[in-house]
mmCIF file of all heavy atoms in Angstrom:
data_model
loop_
_atom_site.group_PDB
_atom_site.id
_atom_site.type_symbol
_atom_site.label_atom_id
_atom_site.label_comp_id
_atom_site.label_asym_id
_atom_site.label_seq_id
_atom_site.Cartn_x
_atom_site.Cartn_y
_atom_site.Cartn_z
ATOM 1 N N MET A 147 57.617 22.362 -15.320
ATOM 2 C CA MET A 147 57.373 23.787 -15.228
ATOM 3 C C MET A 147 58.450 24.473 -14.415
ATOM 4 O O MET A 147 59.014 23.880 -13.468
ATOM 5 C CB MET A 147 56.007 24.014 -14.512
ATOM 6 C CG MET A 147 54.806 23.406 -15.177
ATOM 7 S SD MET A 147 54.214 24.441 -16.531
ATOM 8 C CE MET A 147 52.736 23.489 -16.983
ATOM 9 N N TRP A 148 58.713 25.706 -14.758
ATOM 10 C CA TRP A 148 59.500 26.611 -13.910
ATOM 11 C C TRP A 148 58.521 27.520 -13.150
ATOM 12 O O TRP A 148 57.728 28.310 -13.752
ATOM 13 C CB TRP A 148 60.440 27.436 -14.710
ATOM 14 C CG TRP A 148 61.312 28.331 -13.863
ATOM 15 C CD1 TRP A 148 61.095 29.686 -13.594
ATOM 16 C CD2 TRP A 148 62.483 28.028 -13.116
ATOM 17 N NE1 TRP A 148 62.011 30.166 -12.744
ATOM 18 C CE2 TRP A 148 62.924 29.205 -12.446
ATOM 19 C CE3 TRP A 148 63.216 26.859 -13.016
ATOM 20 C CZ2 TRP A 148 64.061 29.192 -11.653
ATOM 21 C CZ3 TRP A 148 64.361 26.896 -12.180
ATOM 22 C CH2 TRP A 148 64.740 28.041 -11.509
ATOM 23 N N LYS A 149 58.548 27.508 -11.851
ATOM 24 C CA LYS A 149 57.654 28.271 -10.971
ATOM 25 C C LYS A 149 58.346 29.458 -10.448
ATOM 26 O O LYS A 149 59.505 29.397 -9.974
ATOM 27 C CB LYS A 149 57.116 27.404 -9.827
ATOM 28 C CG LYS A 149 56.178 26.299 -10.241
ATOM 29 C CD LYS A 149 55.769 25.413 -9.051
ATOM 30 C CE LYS A 149 55.132 26.280 -7.953
ATOM 31 N NZ LYS A 149 54.736 25.449 -6.802
ATOM 32 N N ASN A 150 57.607 30.585 -10.403
ATOM 33 C CA ASN A 150 58.065 31.860 -9.871
ATOM 34 C C ASN A 150 57.032 32.439 -8.953
ATOM 35 O O ASN A 150 55.845 32.524 -9.443
ATOM 36 C CB ASN A 150 58.507 32.829 -10.931
ATOM 37 C CG ASN A 150 58.879 34.151 -10.431
ATOM 38 O OD1 ASN A 150 58.070 35.026 -10.123
ATOM 39 N ND2 ASN A 150 60.222 34.365 -10.280
ATOM 40 N N SER A 151 57.363 32.847 -7.785
ATOM 41 C CA SER A 151 56.416 33.432 -6.862
ATOM 42 C C SER A 151 56.953 34.622 -6.131
ATOM 43 O O SER A 151 58.051 34.528 -5.570
ATOM 44 C CB SER A 151 55.917 32.372 -5.824
ATOM 45 O OG SER A 151 55.154 32.953 -4.835
ATOM 46 N N MET A 152 56.162 35.733 -6.158
ATOM 47 C CA MET A 152 56.600 36.898 -5.384
ATOM 48 C C MET A 152 55.454 37.215 -4.410
ATOM 49 O O MET A 152 54.265 37.308 -4.844
ATOM 50 C CB MET A 152 56.862 38.121 -6.317
ATOM 51 C CG MET A 152 58.047 37.955 -7.225
ATOM 52 S SD MET A 152 58.313 39.328 -8.305
ATOM 53 C CE MET A 152 56.879 39.179 -9.426
ATOM 54 N N GLN A 153 55.788 37.399 -3.128
ATOM 55 C CA GLN A 153 54.774 37.501 -2.067
ATOM 56 C C GLN A 153 55.174 38.648 -1.132
ATOM 57 O O GLN A 153 56.359 38.866 -0.835
ATOM 58 C CB GLN A 153 54.582 36.269 -1.295
ATOM 59 C CG GLN A 153 53.518 36.328 -0.201
ATOM 60 C CD GLN A 153 53.298 34.965 0.442
ATOM 61 O OE1 GLN A 153 52.767 34.074 -0.184
ATOM 62 N NE2 GLN A 153 53.713 34.853 1.693
ATOM 63 N N ALA A 154 54.167 39.361 -0.633
ATOM 64 C CA ALA A 154 54.400 40.365 0.328
ATOM 65 C C ALA A 154 53.336 40.329 1.460
ATOM 66 O O ALA A 154 52.103 40.093 1.127
ATOM 67 C CB ALA A 154 54.365 41.798 -0.304
ATOM 68 N N GLU A 155 53.695 40.520 2.688
ATOM 69 C CA GLU A 155 52.790 40.524 3.819
ATOM 70 C C GLU A 155 53.039 41.793 4.641
ATOM 71 O O GLU A 155 54.165 42.290 4.680
ATOM 72 C CB GLU A 155 52.966 39.274 4.696
ATOM 73 C CG GLU A 155 52.601 37.968 4.016
ATOM 74 C CD GLU A 155 52.791 36.766 5.010
ATOM 75 O OE1 GLU A 155 53.255 36.973 6.135
ATOM 76 O OE2 GLU A 155 52.485 35.664 4.558
ATOM 77 N N TYR A 156 51.978 42.221 5.368
ATOM 78 C CA TYR A 156 52.133 43.393 6.185
ATOM 79 C C TYR A 156 51.805 43.010 7.651
ATOM 80 O O TYR A 156 50.685 42.496 7.892
ATOM 81 C CB TYR A 156 51.204 44.559 5.717
ATOM 82 C CG TYR A 156 51.394 45.781 6.551
ATOM 83 C CD1 TYR A 156 52.483 46.559 6.482
ATOM 84 C CD2 TYR A 156 50.422 46.131 7.527
ATOM 85 C CE1 TYR A 156 52.622 47.713 7.215
ATOM 86 C CE2 TYR A 156 50.540 47.242 8.274
ATOM 87 C CZ TYR A 156 51.633 48.059 8.149
ATOM 88 O OH TYR A 156 51.794 49.192 8.926
ATOM 89 N N ASP A 157 52.689 43.317 8.550
ATOM 90 C CA ASP A 157 52.510 43.010 9.984
ATOM 91 C C ASP A 157 51.764 44.112 10.672
ATOM 92 O O ASP A 157 52.351 45.238 10.892
ATOM 93 C CB ASP A 157 53.859 42.748 10.632
ATOM 94 C CG ASP A 157 53.746 42.346 12.061
ATOM 95 O OD1 ASP A 157 52.635 41.966 12.539
ATOM 96 O OD2 ASP A 157 54.786 42.537 12.774
ATOM 97 N N ILE A 158 50.505 43.925 10.967
ATOM 98 C CA ILE A 158 49.762 44.981 11.642
ATOM 99 C C ILE A 158 50.068 44.897 13.165
ATOM 100 O O ILE A 158 49.958 43.815 13.753
ATOM 101 C CB ILE A 158 48.207 44.764 11.464
ATOM 102 C CG1 ILE A 158 47.915 44.786 9.967
ATOM 103 C CG2 ILE A 158 47.421 45.804 12.207
ATOM 104 C CD1 ILE A 158 46.475 44.488 9.678
ATOM 105 N N PRO A 159 50.487 45.969 13.789
ATOM 106 C CA PRO A 159 50.871 45.953 15.163
ATOM 107 C C PRO A 159 49.738 45.489 16.052
ATOM 108 O O PRO A 159 48.532 45.908 15.912
ATOM 109 C CB PRO A 159 51.168 47.439 15.473
ATOM 110 C CG PRO A 159 51.507 48.044 14.153
ATOM 111 C CD PRO A 159 50.653 47.353 13.186
ATOM 112 N N LYS A 160 50.026 44.530 17.005
ATOM 113 C CA LYS A 160 49.134 44.042 17.968
ATOM 114 C C LYS A 160 47.888 43.532 17.348
ATOM 115 O O LYS A 160 46.713 43.744 17.902
ATOM 116 C CB LYS A 160 48.777 45.111 18.993
ATOM 117 C CG LYS A 160 50.002 45.590 19.798
ATOM 118 C CD LYS A 160 49.624 46.664 20.820
ATOM 119 C CE LYS A 160 50.880 47.169 21.559
ATOM 120 N NZ LYS A 160 50.515 48.206 22.561
ATOM 121 N N SER A 161 47.923 42.842 16.223
ATOM 122 C CA SER A 161 46.782 42.337 15.524
ATOM 123 C C SER A 161 47.007 40.889 15.146
ATOM 124 O O SER A 161 48.100 40.476 14.847
ATOM 125 C CB SER A 161 46.437 43.110 14.237
ATOM 126 O OG SER A 161 45.401 42.557 13.529
ATOM 127 N N LYS A 162 45.924 40.089 15.205
ATOM 128 C CA LYS A 162 45.961 38.691 14.772
ATOM 129 C C LYS A 162 45.825 38.535 13.248
ATOM 130 O O LYS A 162 45.870 37.459 12.751
ATOM 131 C CB LYS A 162 44.930 37.908 15.501
ATOM 132 C CG LYS A 162 45.181 37.732 16.984
ATOM 133 C CD LYS A 162 44.125 36.834 17.659
ATOM 134 C CE LYS A 162 44.413 36.602 19.134
ATOM 135 N NZ LYS A 162 43.453 35.730 19.713
ATOM 136 N N LEU A 163 45.534 39.658 12.589
ATOM 137 C CA LEU A 163 45.348 39.671 11.184
ATOM 138 C C LEU A 163 46.621 40.091 10.394
ATOM 139 O O LEU A 163 47.259 41.006 10.772
ATOM 140 C CB LEU A 163 44.186 40.604 10.805
ATOM 141 C CG LEU A 163 42.793 40.265 11.341
ATOM 142 C CD1 LEU A 163 41.820 41.331 11.006
ATOM 143 C CD2 LEU A 163 42.345 38.934 10.780
ATOM 144 N N THR A 164 46.886 39.380 9.324
ATOM 145 C CA THR A 164 48.018 39.693 8.427
ATOM 146 C C THR A 164 47.592 39.683 6.975
ATOM 147 O O THR A 164 47.301 38.605 6.432
ATOM 148 C CB THR A 164 49.149 38.645 8.670
ATOM 149 O OG1 THR A 164 49.573 38.610 10.006
ATOM 150 C CG2 THR A 164 50.349 39.038 7.774
ATOM 151 N N PRO A 165 47.486 40.846 6.341
ATOM 152 C CA PRO A 165 47.095 40.921 4.953
ATOM 153 C C PRO A 165 48.328 40.705 4.080
ATOM 154 O O PRO A 165 49.453 40.949 4.493
ATOM 155 C CB PRO A 165 46.488 42.273 4.799
ATOM 156 C CG PRO A 165 47.271 43.125 5.795
ATOM 157 C CD PRO A 165 47.541 42.194 6.944
ATOM 158 N N GLY A 166 48.038 40.264 2.803
ATOM 159 C CA GLY A 166 49.156 40.141 1.870
ATOM 160 C C GLY A 166 48.701 39.863 0.465
ATOM 161 O O GLY A 166 47.488 39.767 0.176
ATOM 162 N N GLY A 167 49.634 39.668 -0.435
ATOM 163 C CA GLY A 167 49.365 39.395 -1.843
ATOM 164 C C GLY A 167 50.474 38.584 -2.427
ATOM 165 O O GLY A 167 51.606 38.564 -1.912
ATOM 166 N N GLU A 168 50.145 37.984 -3.571
ATOM 167 C CA GLU A 168 51.119 37.069 -4.194
ATOM 168 C C GLU A 168 50.857 37.063 -5.745
ATOM 169 O O GLU A 168 49.713 37.117 -6.195
ATOM 170 C CB GLU A 168 51.022 35.674 -3.674
ATOM 171 C CG GLU A 168 52.059 34.698 -4.214
ATOM 172 C CD GLU A 168 51.974 33.293 -3.628
ATOM 173 O OE1 GLU A 168 50.922 33.013 -2.976
ATOM 174 O OE2 GLU A 168 52.915 32.530 -3.740
ATOM 175 N N ILE A 169 51.961 37.011 -6.496
ATOM 176 C CA ILE A 169 51.867 36.798 -7.905
ATOM 177 C C ILE A 169 52.712 35.593 -8.309
ATOM 178 O O ILE A 169 53.858 35.454 -7.869
ATOM 179 C CB ILE A 169 52.433 38.036 -8.673
ATOM 180 C CG1 ILE A 169 51.588 39.312 -8.337
ATOM 181 C CG2 ILE A 169 52.362 37.781 -10.201
ATOM 182 C CD1 ILE A 169 52.199 40.537 -8.970
ATOM 183 N N GLU A 170 52.075 34.627 -9.003
ATOM 184 C CA GLU A 170 52.775 33.435 -9.401
ATOM 185 C C GLU A 170 52.753 33.235 -10.916
ATOM 186 O O GLU A 170 51.751 33.591 -11.612
ATOM 187 C CB GLU A 170 52.092 32.178 -8.770
ATOM 188 C CG GLU A 170 52.083 32.136 -7.297
ATOM 189 C CD GLU A 170 51.253 30.963 -6.783
ATOM 190 O OE1 GLU A 170 50.034 31.172 -6.692
ATOM 191 O OE2 GLU A 170 51.856 29.901 -6.489
#
Side-chain angles (χ1 to χ4, degrees):
M147 302 279 185
W148 179 263
K149 292 176 56 179
N150 175 279
S151 169
M152 294 180 289
Q153 180 175 291
E155 295 182 356
Y156 182 74
D157 181 19
I158 302 175
K160 299 180 181 180
S161 176
K162 293 185 177 182
L163 297 174
T164 303
E168 184 178 17
I169 299 175
E170 298 174 276

